Amino acid sequence: MTDDSGSTPRTDPTDTTKVALLVIDMINTYDHEDAELLVPSVEQVVPVLAKLIERARAADVPVIYANDNFGRWRSHHGELVENALSRPRADLVEPIRPDDESLFVVKARHSAFYETPLSYLLWRLGVGHVVVTGQVTEQCVLYSALDAHIRHLDVTVPRDAVASIHPRLASAALEMMELNMGASIMDAADVDFGG
């Protein structure tokens, strides 16, 4: 069954064959509290994430950016991207910037699902499996993975494609995602987009 958009929604909740790549909070100005602690981790993650995004695009996997709006309630995603690219750490945004095919969800709290259309978007796309990437592992990535899990989505978290402020807490968060949520924790190179 299709609707006027031409897409076929997923009707079988056990169908986890269609995957989406979720990129959390990577459109960032890095001029906020804790940025000094975060940036070294982001510098390691960006090249890995850029390759993962490239692989997802090549496999026709939806790439969905879920990003804080930084309190700019009149901003749209284009303004958020341009603002981040105009700042001194544009080098951390340019390699992973959204392209014309990317989808974008503006969020206001930690989880990419909280009060956003992400659940509906994934359902419309027929997605049953999300690959969760971005920042920070011990906060927004953790809570987004939990919200994906309670929505019966399969979750994969590439450990080298998530950035952290506190490495010890990030390790604990990855362990929680694996043990408590059944998330697959692996290296980004091992993520299978099936294409």
Side-chain angles (χ1 to χ4, degrees):
M1 176 178 122
T2 61
D3 68 0
D4 56 352
S5 70
S7 61
T8 304
R10 181 170 64 97
T11 55
D12 178 2
T14 62
D15 177 13
T16 58
T17 57
K18 188 152 185 193
V19 182
L21 178 63
L22 186 58
V23 181
I24 299 174
D25 289 336
M26 293 300 291
I27 308 304
N28 201 299
T29 58
Y30 299 102
D31 57 3
H32 51 79
E33 186 180 343
D34 291 331
E36 197 172 294
L37 296 172
L38 175 61
V39 164
S41 180
V42 174
E43 288 172 335
Q44 293 179 347
V45 163
V46 165
V48 175
L49 183 52
K51 287 180 187 170
L52 193 62
I53 291 169
E54 184 179 322
R55 285 179 48 222
R57 289 172 176 160
D60 232 10
V61 166
V63 179
I64 304 170
Y65 291 76
N67 221 89
D68 283 338
N69 68 356
F70 304 109
R72 298 166 157 257
W73 290 103
R74 288 182 219 144
S75 294
H76 58 74
H77 74 276
E79 288 179 71
L80 295 173
V81 172
E82 291 310 313
N83 186 40
L85 289 173
S86 72
R87 300 300 177 96
R89 292 315 311 254
D91 62 306
L92 299 178
V93 178
E94 181 61 44
I96 50 89
R97 73 186 295 178
D99 67 5
D100 291 340
E101 301 300 314
S102 299
L103 303 170
F104 206 100
V105 173
V106 176
K107 68 185 191 66
R109 301 296 291 170
H110 295 80
S111 172
F113 290 88
Y114 180 74
E115 299 288 332
T116 76
L118 182 58
S119 290
Y120 181 75
L121 174 60
L122 293 171
W123 177 75
R124 292 299 308 150
L125 294 171
V127 168
H129 184 169
V130 288
V131 178
V132 182
T133 66
Q135 60 189 7
V136 297
T137 312
E138 63 272 29
Q139 294 174 18
C140 300
V141 171
L142 174 64
Y143 302 132
S144 297
L146 174 60
D147 273 355
H149 171 70
I150 65 174
R151 286 164 174 78
H152 304 287
L153 296 165
D154 283 354
V155 176
T156 295
V157 181
R159 65 174 66 85
D160 51 347
V162 288
S164 65
I165 295 170
H166 305 288
R168 183 178 58 81
L169 294 178
S171 293
L174 288 169
E175 187 175 1
M176 287 173 63
M177 287 183 261
E178 186 171 38
L179 296 178
N180 297 344
M181 303 168 207
S184 297
I185 309 298
M186 62 182 63
D187 290 339
D190 295 326
V191 172
D192 182 8
F193 287 126

